[in-house]
Amino acid sequence: MNDLKKANKFDDLDVEKVKLDYFDLDTLEKAVSGVDLVIYIPSITYDLQRRITEFENVLQAVKKAKAKLIFVSFFADQENNPFVMSPFYAYVPRRLASSNVEYSIVKNSLYADPLVPYLEELIKRKNIIYPVGAQPLSFITRNDSAHAIACLAMQSIMRDQGQSYLLSMDKNYNMVELSYIMSRITDHKIGYAPVTITEFAKIYAQEGDGKELASMYAGGAKGLLSATSDDFHRLTGREPEEMEHFLRNGYQIARL
């Protein structure tokens, strides 16, 4: 975790907490020493070179520990994807393939979780504004992603041979479908009025990642963020939480 203050969430669990810095090889090597399996979740940054350096440090530590690796990825890795981090997600699998490390890859689709706090803004806007046109987007909840990763970690027969899994809900959603769902659960009319990629970047520029998010949705407009699979079921034996159930519960809890 990036915030050490959140470490107290694990106080009641029988787990060992270790502080490490992705850019401090000494802390990395100490953290994974004697560990059989490392689950690597990249840090939140849009600095491409920094992210690659971070990964290479993790790979070096994993090799030294003779550990196995689960790389938690994102499905925006196509060679024609304009998302600014697409080169990183395309680079790592190729690098791992030549690394002599036993590994597997988990590709998350878009997280559904940010949609819950976004609902209040959409109620005021009266429209979803994602610049993806008629193209659908695929989602997974963070809780379901964590469950699938934990199941993979516990089932060695399903990993360590370069396997790649895509985590998604059973179906994807175009923005008209998503607007209908949001309207039902909020009792407010929410439509779909997409802005341009440039406008979207300007709207969210103050949040510090407007251009980066716009580049991601530019990939969505090409149909590159729509893939679904049954890999979640294959790893967990259950179905992923579907969008309306997730948003309804999240919206009701947020209003308490």
Side-chain angles (χ1 to χ4, degrees), residues 154-217:
M154 297 299 293
Q155 300 175 97
S156 59
I157 194 171
M158 300 292 284
R159 55 173 168 81
D160 307 335
Q161 304 299 317
Q163 298 99 320
S164 180
Y165 298 98
L166 169 61
L167 303 182
S168 72
M169 294 178 179
D170 288 337
K171 68 181 296 290
N172 55 31
Y173 298 86
N174 67 43
M175 297 304 98
V176 173
E177 292 175 306
L178 193 57
S179 70
Y180 286 149
I181 292 172
M182 290 177 169
S183 296
R184 283 196 296 270
I185 66 174
T186 63
D187 289 325
H188 290 272
K189 175 61 178 174
I190 298 175
Y192 180 43
V195 297
T196 66
I197 298 292
T198 301
E199 287 172 327
F200 189 90
K202 289 179 179 177
I203 289 170
Y204 295 103
Q206 290 186 340
E207 297 183 15
D209 56 359
K211 289 176 61 177
E212 292 81 4
L213 289 177
S215 74
M216 183 180 73
Y217 289 117

Side-chain angles (χ1 to χ4, degrees), residues 10 18 32 34 59 74 130 142 200 224:
F10 301 97
V18 179
V32 304
L59 183 60
F74 182 52
Y130 293 143
R142 285 192 174 103
F200 189 90
L224 300 176

Side-chain angles (χ1 to χ4, degrees), residues 22-23 25 28 40 42-43 48-62 69 71 88 91-97 99 101 103:
Y22 279 146
F23 298 95
L25 268 173
L28 268 174
Y40 166 50
S43 62
L48 183 61
Q49 189 56 58
R50 184 173 175 84
R51 185 81 75 89
I52 291 174
T53 300
E54 167 188 303
F55 162 72
E56 289 292 343
N57 288 344
V58 171
L59 183 60
Q60 182 175 328
V62 167
L69 179 69
F71 170 53
F88 171 75
Y91 168 79
V92 173
R94 290 155 178 79
R95 179 72 175 92
L96 286 173
S99 67
V101 167
Y103 71 94

Side-chain angles (χ1 to χ4, degrees), residues 58-77:
V58 171
L59 183 60
Q60 182 175 328
V62 167
K63 282 185 173 183
K64 187 172 182 179
K66 294 182 172 57
K68 295 167 178 140
L69 179 69
I70 294 176
F71 170 53
V72 180
S73 184
F74 182 52
F75 70 162
D77 57 0

